[in-house]
Amino acid sequence: MNGNGAPRRVGDVTTVSAGTDGTAGTAGASTAGGTEGSDGAGASGAGVAPTASASAAAAAGSARTKLERGRGALGPALELVHTGRAPTRAVLTAELGVTRATAGAVAAELEALGLIRVDSRPGGAGGTQGRPSHRLSVDENGPVALAAQVHSDGFRAALVGLGGRIVATAPGRVPVSADPAQVLGAVVEAGAALLARTGRRCIGAGLAVPSAVAEPEGTALNPLHLAWPAGSPVRAIFADCVKEAGIDGPALTGNDVNLAALAEHRHGAGRSAQHLLCVATGHRGVGGALVLDGRLHSGSSGLALEVGHLTVNPEGRACHCGSRGCLDVEADPLAFLTAAGRTPGPEVSLLQQARDLLREESADPGVRAATEELIDRLGLGLAGLVNILNPDRIILGGLHRELLYADPERLRAVVADRSLWGRSGGVPILPCTLDHNSLVGAAELAWQPVLDDPLGTLGTAA
């Protein structure tokens, strides 16, 4: 269900430590950021002064050695700043396991590439005694990824920088046609307009779709809520649209809830979790994702965690998959509106209508009964997942986040009563914290090659 098609370590959010010996890189690096003293300027013999040319050559060789040591740490260093785990150069030094000079050179290289900013002004928390350490942050004027999401009520395009920061966004409230090429062409056109308006450099594009994405083909296996043909080659279509728009970089595709979980793990409510379960409603249906030890668990062909088709009410509503009472149709926005006796309108999305009803009319008896019904169905599904997966944290998105806000004790009680692990100590159940987390996750797909190899993807620093 991951369906990202990206190179190595897509979805890997664990830190890769670089020893002081490092790994050789491919291009030149800035020498800013400090030196390690005079260890590289050796004498030609005892009591014999070296010539100026010999000293210069030795110093240059030492500098090259130090920079080579740091190049292997560029990717891990960028990921640490990207995910907020290295706010200062002192923390970066400790996390990478390198010398202060090497960490300084690495930070300077990333700054020269336009990816981060190094602030040496006093006042930053250094994390160690002595003078304050240089503060590190992503460059707010740096390159961006084009992120796109398609759902049953339309689409949204956005430009997303490092740190998961949304720079610009454009919603498309249009009927989604049965032709994937038409829809994806429109969303890429909206993204290209954002790029033209902002003038930002684009490093690639990512697409989130409400379907399991089969690997390695990149096909949407079951886009049930889009009326697209099963097995639509969404990755190939999206890549063609991106290329036709003149946008450089890779074009990658994944399941929307998988990508939401990835974004939350890196930038939101899932930070530091080792076994993170994410369950969310999109505009229609229910999806799930699992992050294990920092990596998305996608199964043998990208189709794992189809939690929407867990049966939570054997006598319940007919599901698109052919079964009955699936979580997909018992705990999504349409189910909530129907249970509350409301007829959905065309003005705004189903998700927004359900949110507004829950927030504004929670005291209404019908709305309250519908809330309790969906909480019980959702809790039953979560309990089954807890019994099987034993997560250390559950995060809820979409309408499920609103249900948690509405009655957290009821939901947690249902999960605890129905799950062995819940009764033995409980599993934290938290709301997702990122706006448009599937969009941010789609951008993570495009950013991953840069996180893996900043120099190789962006070129030599100027």
Side-chain angles (χ1 to χ4, degrees):
M1 197 168 66
N2 184 8
N4 48 48
R8 61 183 177 85
R9 292 182 61 246
V10 166
D12 183 0
V13 294
T14 55
T15 302
V16 181
S17 296
T20 54
D21 56 340
T23 303
T26 58
S30 170
T31 59
T35 62
E36 290 180 302
S38 59
D39 55 311
S44 59
V48 180
T51 64
S53 59
S55 296
S62 175
R64 282 194 299 270
T65 299
K66 294 167 191 172
L67 292 172
E68 288 296 328
R69 289 174 180 172
R71 285 179 189 143
L74 282 175
L78 181 59
E79 187 170 296
L80 285 166
V81 179
H82 172 59
T83 56
R85 290 176 291 155
T88 67
R89 201 170 70 180
V91 176
L92 183 69
T93 301
E95 289 290 330
L96 293 177
V98 297
T99 64
R100 290 177 59 190
T102 297
V106 167
E109 183 76 51
L110 294 174
E111 185 175 37
L113 287 168
L115 296 172
I116 73 169
R117 288 190 179 276
V118 181
D119 187 353
S120 60
R121 293 175 297 176
T128 59
Q129 293 184 348
R131 64 183 181 181
S133 178
H134 291 29
R135 290 170 291 185
L136 307 178
S137 61
V138 300
D139 189 338
E140 294 185 355
N141 297 314
V144 295
L146 168 59
Q149 181 180 12
V150 177
H151 50 76
S152 61
D153 294 307
F155 65 79
R156 183 176 289 272
L159 305 182
V160 184
L162 282 168
R165 185 175 57 88
I166 295 179
V167 174
T169 182
R173 181 87 174 96
V174 296
V176 177
S177 76
D179 181 4
Q182 180 180 345
V183 179
L184 297 182
V187 74
V188 171
E189 182 180 356
L194 291 176
L195 287 169
R197 192 176 78 216
T198 61
R200 303 294 278 268
R201 177 183 181 182
C202 184
I203 52 86
L207 170 68
V209 293
S211 168
V213 178
E215 294 296 341
E217 299 85 1
T219 56
L221 185 66
N222 57 345
L224 300 175
H225 303 297
L226 296 180
W228 289 355
S232 295
V234 290
R235 183 178 303 143
I237 296 172
F238 182 59
D240 288 343
C241 292
V242 169
K243 184 177 180 180
E244 290 173 6
I247 299 172
D248 295 329
L252 308 166
T253 307
N255 168 264
D256 54 1
V257 179
N258 260 13
L259 297 182
L262 177 58
E264 292 285 345
H265 194 278
R266 289 183 171 181
H267 308 293
R271 278 179 173 171
S272 78
Q274 294 300 306
H275 298 80
L276 176 68
L277 172 64
C278 175
V279 176
T281 54
H283 289 247
R284 289 287 305 277
V286 175
L290 186 66
V291 181
L292 297 176
D293 296 322
R295 296 184 66 92
L296 278 170
H297 175 70
S298 57
S300 61
S301 57
L303 307 179
L305 268 292
E306 279 293 313
V307 305
H309 300 289
L310 289 173
T311 300
V312 295
N313 182 14
E315 305 302 321
R317 300 175 178 89
C319 183
H320 307 278
C321 71
S323 186
R324 300 192 71 86
C326 293
L327 198 61
D328 208 55
V329 292
E330 295 288 337
D332 79 338
L334 182 59
F336 178 70
L337 293 168
T338 301
R342 301 301 198 271
T343 301
E347 297 80 13
V348 296
S349 70
L350 290 172
L351 179 57
Q352 191 59 52
Q353 291 178 65
R355 281 173 169 163
D356 291 345
L357 182 62
L358 185 57
R359 292 171 180 174
E360 298 169 7
E361 301 184 43
S362 59
D364 180 274
V367 174
R368 186 62 206 169
T371 301
E372 293 176 352
E373 177 181 307
L374 260 72
I375 286 176
D376 290 347
R377 303 293 188 220
L378 174 61
L380 182 60
L382 293 177
L385 292 168
V386 167
N387 286 333
I388 296 169
L389 302 173
N390 188 26
D392 60 16
R393 191 180 311 172
I394 298 171
I395 58 174
L396 302 178
L399 181 62
H400 295 167
R401 179 174 66 172
E402 308 300 328
L403 293 173
L404 176 61
Y405 286 141
D407 197 341
E409 296 307 316
R410 186 184 185 96
L411 179 58
R412 291 178 177 128
V414 173
V415 175
D417 290 345
R418 294 278 189 161
S419 64
L420 175 63
W421 307 120
R423 288 196 298 272
S424 67
V427 181
I429 303 176
L430 305 173
C432 290
T433 58
L434 300 178
D435 292 330
H436 308 302
N437 50 18
S438 291
L439 272 177
V440 175
E444 292 294 318
L445 294 182
W447 274 113
Q448 190 63 52
V450 180
L451 296 175
D452 287 337
D453 184 7
L455 277 174
T457 53
L458 297 183
T460 305

